[in-house]
Amino acid sequence: MLFLTLYQIIDYLISIIVFVVIVQFVLGLLIAFNVVNMHNQFVSALYTALNAILEPMLRPIRKIMPNTGAIDFSPMVLIIALKILQIIFGNLAAAAAY
């Protein structure tokens, strides 16, 4: 029962991180295409906060991945890795329930 509870907590945290990665990606696109600009104090604060949260997770991925120019694939790799962890923990929780 304890492992199932831990799985649910980890699953919830992974879902939040994936959501934050997607929000950062969309906000980055909006900034890149000048839909919103960094002169807006709210946009600037939000983008800075999202980068501060995600940078410790994305930095090791960026060190491993080859340089692809202007396209950054590290958020996609992070989401895939988190989803794989989610599947592994889900299967472990299901196995522990039996």
Side-chain angles (χ1 to χ4, degrees), residues 6-56:
L6 289 174
Y7 164 68
Q8 290 174 339
I9 292 169
I10 291 170
D11 183 55
Y12 186 66
L13 291 174
I14 288 174
S15 298
I16 290 171
I17 293 170
V18 168
F19 179 74
V20 170
V21 169
I22 292 170
V23 168
Q24 183 207 27
F25 175 75
V26 170
L27 186 60
L29 285 177
L30 293 175
I31 291 170
F33 289 112
N34 285 329
V35 176
V36 295
N37 60 17
M38 292 295 283
H39 297 296
N40 184 333
Q41 190 175 12
F42 176 73
V43 172
S44 177
L46 181 63
Y47 194 69
T48 304
L50 292 176
N51 280 335
I53 292 169
L54 292 176
E55 187 60 29

Side-chain angles (χ1 to χ4, degrees), residues 21 24-25 54-55 57-66 68 71-82:
V21 169
Q24 183 207 27
F25 175 75
L54 292 176
E55 187 60 29
M57 291 177 267
L58 293 174
R59 188 180 312 119
I61 297 170
R62 288 182 179 136
K63 287 181 182 177
I64 295 170
M65 291 187 61
T68 56
I71 301 173
D72 184 17
F73 289 109
S74 59
M76 181 179 65
V77 172
L78 178 62
I79 289 174
I80 291 170
L82 289 172

